Amino acid sequence: MTITDISRGLGRVVRPGDPDWDAARGTFNLLIDQRPEAIAFPADDREVAAVIAYARRHGLRVAAQATGHNPGPLGSLAGTLILNTSALTEVSIDADAHRVRVGAATKWEKVTPRLSELGLAALHGSSPDVGIVGYSLGGGIGWLSRKYGMQANAVTALEMVTAEGHLIRTDPVHEPDLFWALRGGGGNFGVVTAVEFAVYPLRELYAGAMFFPVERTSEILHAWTDLLPSLPDEITSWATVLHFPPLPTVPEPFRGRSFVIVMAAFLGTEADGRELLRPLRGLGPEMDTFAMQPPVGLSELAMDPPEPLPYWTTTALVDEMPSAVIEEVARISGPGSALTMVQFRHMGGALARPEPGAGARATLPGTIIALGLGVIPVPEAHPAVMADLDALSAAFAPYRVGDYPNFVEEPADVGAFFDPETWNRLRRVKALYDPEDVFRGNHHIPPA
Ligand SMILES: Cc1cc2nc3c(=O)[nH]c(=O)nc-3n(C[C@H](O)[C@H](O)[C@H](O)COP(=O)(O)OP(=O)(O)OC[C@H]3O[C@@H](n4cnc5c(N)ncnc54)[C@H](O)[C@@H]3O)c2cc1C
């Protein structure tokens, strides 16, 4: 279907100076001061096409955005129009076929509770507030990843409006190169309007968190990293140092306190899960929330912040975390740290195994992904947070084996996210579908 010339409006467009400009350009990271030329809110596929045509007529580039959970890598938005997909929120679930179809702005929170009631689980990540399309196009790692891989590779079809205004459906049979490129190559090829993906039968699983005082970080990280090699793909565990802010919105047992927390999700029985985690439980957690639960319990397990906040991050995929790095992490993230969170997620399993038919983000290297986050509520906090983030990056540097683009929140050398063959193929697909480089994914892929 060609819809470029259909004379429909663009939908709502907000420009600098409009009363709702500041609300429209806000993102999840309050430190990002987005200043595009305009922000369009198309209501359907046709308005998406009209917005793209308008942008091209005016020499503007188009950056699709849903929730604004990762706008940092876009850098300057001069000459760029943001196409905000927030009106595209359809959700349909085919429980028998284990398939879900959602509109471009749908957040995980609109899908996971309904799936859970149906005895199904999706490959979502730590935050129910993240958009499914952006998450899927960048890879998507969560609680079931070691068993089932990345969400990008659970995608079964995508619908997208191209630079020419064509609405196309891409799947393993139709436009297979584009289907491959979108699943890892991000928002560089067009505006995705809907995604379809597989979900997995799951009535309940053994999941929860063990909380230890932050002073025990070194001991707990040693125990956790020692345990990892023995764990099957059915269990995904994360170790997190978390300094809860002293805010009334934080539940009482956590408010203003600091912990090192081991969280895990196990696809199996309580008895087997307890056995796998016995070495950690033997260390005597102060709180232990592990229990059999429906999959919706995973939505809040990581306790991600529900509201936007001002923060900066650092991240690295590492192949090991030796004792000296653990000591350095414990020092940097310990009592009095400028950071709010330092998290380590167990990788490997299906994340490291290329499957036939996978997209451009077929696998991720490393046994652990590290993520440090510092909240910067006032400018004066900036130097201390950046110093701690830099110290973390330096500690990981000798063991770094790559980056996971969804976690990289600043402009980066995007070619380095892919092996040379994948990068060259992505650029060839870009040249085929967007030779004029109209679309700016947050991690930009230029045409070959
Ligand atoms: C609190 C928090 C928790 C997170 N947890 C996880 C996690 O557990 N696992 C994980 O893998 N990632 C996680 N992420 C990272 C997240 O997956 C990325 O930030 C992702 O890009 C967010 O997508 P979005 O649509 O919500 O954000 P947006 O900023 O709206 O979009 C990000 C990018 O996605 C692309 N995009 C979005 N919509 C479209 C579209 N319709 N068409 C074309 N391109 C589009 C664009 O390139 C856009 O710049 C987390 C991020 C945050 C802030």
Side-chain angles (χ1 to χ4, degrees):
M1 172 171 58
T2 302
I3 43 185
T4 312
D5 297 326
I6 293 175
S7 57
R8 287 277 301 266
L10 307 181
R12 178 177 159 232
V13 179
V14 182
R15 297 184 172 79
D18 288 349
D20 44 356
W21 176 241
D22 282 340
R25 70 192 187 86
T27 73
F28 186 77
N29 187 341
L30 300 175
L31 293 185
I32 304 291
D33 185 26
Q34 288 202 127
R35 293 188 181 275
E37 303 295 330
I39 304 174
F41 296 82
D44 55 25
D45 300 345
R46 288 163 188 268
E47 286 187 355
V48 169
V51 169
I52 295 169
Y54 171 90
R56 292 185 70 193
R57 276 200 307 278
H58 292 82
L60 299 172
R61 296 175 72 196
V62 175
Q65 196 164 77
T67 68
H69 268 74
N70 195 0
L74 286 165
S76 165
L77 289 170
T80 301
L81 179 145
I82 286 183
L83 189 154
N84 184 304
T85 60
S86 57
L88 310 178
T89 54
E90 66 161 298
V91 174
S92 73
I93 297 174
D94 183 340
D96 294 334
H98 300 167
R99 287 286 188 277
V100 175
R101 175 190 168 90
V102 297
T106 310
K107 296 179 175 186
W108 281 116
E109 66 190 7
K110 298 291 180 204
V111 174
T112 41
R114 286 172 60 184
L115 287 175
S116 190
E117 280 172 17
L118 295 163
L120 296 166
L123 305 185
H124 63 83
S126 56
S127 167
D129 196 39
V130 159
I132 296 176
V133 166
Y135 175 91
S136 304
L137 298 184
I141 55 174
W143 289 112
L144 308 182
S145 296
R146 281 173 39 78
K147 175 69 177 173
Y148 294 118
M150 269 173 280
Q151 161 70 5
N153 298 315
V155 169
T156 53
L158 288 145
E159 284 173 13
M160 190 193 89
V161 180
T162 66
E164 301 297 326
H166 300 284
L167 174 65
I168 52 180
R169 181 181 167 85
T170 152
D171 59 28
V173 176
H174 304 98
E175 320 271 350
D177 282 344
L178 177 62
F179 185 59
W180 170 85
L182 281 167
R183 292 173 300 142
N188 288 289
F189 307 93
V191 175
V192 171
T193 52
V195 59
E196 295 172 18
F197 55 94
V199 292
Y200 300 85
L202 184 62
R203 282 276 161 214
E204 55 174 9
L205 77 172
Y206 182 65
M210 293 181 210
F211 294 73
F212 301 87
V214 75
E215 290 75 11
R216 297 182 69 185
T217 295
S218 164
E219 176 196 2
I220 302 303
L221 286 182
H222 273 105
W224 179 69
T225 49
D226 287 350
L227 190 63
L228 297 184
S230 68
L231 296 178
D233 296 353
E234 283 69 24
I235 185 165
T236 295
S237 63
W238 303 354
T240 306
V241 181
L242 198 50
H243 300 275
F244 288 95
L247 298 174
T249 47
V250 176
E252 212 283 310
F254 309 121
R255 195 178 305 148
R257 294 197 59 200
S258 300
F259 297 92
V260 54
I261 309 163
V262 178
M263 308 161 181
F266 173 57
L267 295 161
T269 63
E270 174 160 7
D272 289 347
R274 290 188 77 84
E275 182 55 26
L276 288 168
L277 294 172
R278 194 164 42 84
L280 291 166
R281 187 164 281 119
L283 298 174
E286 187 180 318
M287 274 178 276
D288 183 344
T289 67
F290 274 89
M292 292 305 287
Q293 51 184 292
V296 69
L298 299 177
S299 297
E300 302 290 347
L301 181 54
M303 298 173 287
D304 273 8
E307 299 295 335
L309 68 168
Y311 67 95
W312 211 244
T313 60
T314 189
T315 181
L317 283 156
V318 295
D319 56 1
E320 57 174 317
M321 211 162 84
S323 194
V325 174
I326 292 178
E327 295 309 325
E328 183 63 353
V329 166
R331 185 190 68 75
I332 296 165
S333 64
S337 173
L339 302 183
T340 305
M341 184 190 85
V342 180
Q343 184 171 83
F344 303 98
R345 300 185 180 190
H346 189 197
M347 302 291 286
L351 289 169
R353 279 193 300 268
E355 293 292 333
R361 177 58 59 204
T363 58
L364 282 167
T367 53
I368 291 172
I369 188 163
L371 179 67
L373 182 150
V375 175
I376 305 179
V378 289
E380 296 71 41
H382 188 261
V385 167
M386 295 317 280
D388 278 356
L389 291 176
D390 288 348
L392 267 186
S393 298
F396 302 138
Y399 308 97
R400 186 184 202 106
V401 288
D403 273 308
Y404 170 48
N406 268 1
F407 279 8
V408 176
E409 300 206 13
E410 55 193 311
D413 173 9
V414 181
F417 294 159
F418 302 94
D419 63 70
E421 196 187 325
T422 303
W423 176 241
N424 290 332
R425 187 175 166 197
L426 282 168
R427 294 193 58 193
R428 287 198 301 276
V429 177
K430 171 79 171 176
L432 214 54
Y433 286 90
D434 183 22
E436 292 172 20
D437 205 10
V438 173
F439 297 109
R440 289 187 65 180
N442 54 356
H443 294 298
H444 181 229
I445 298 173

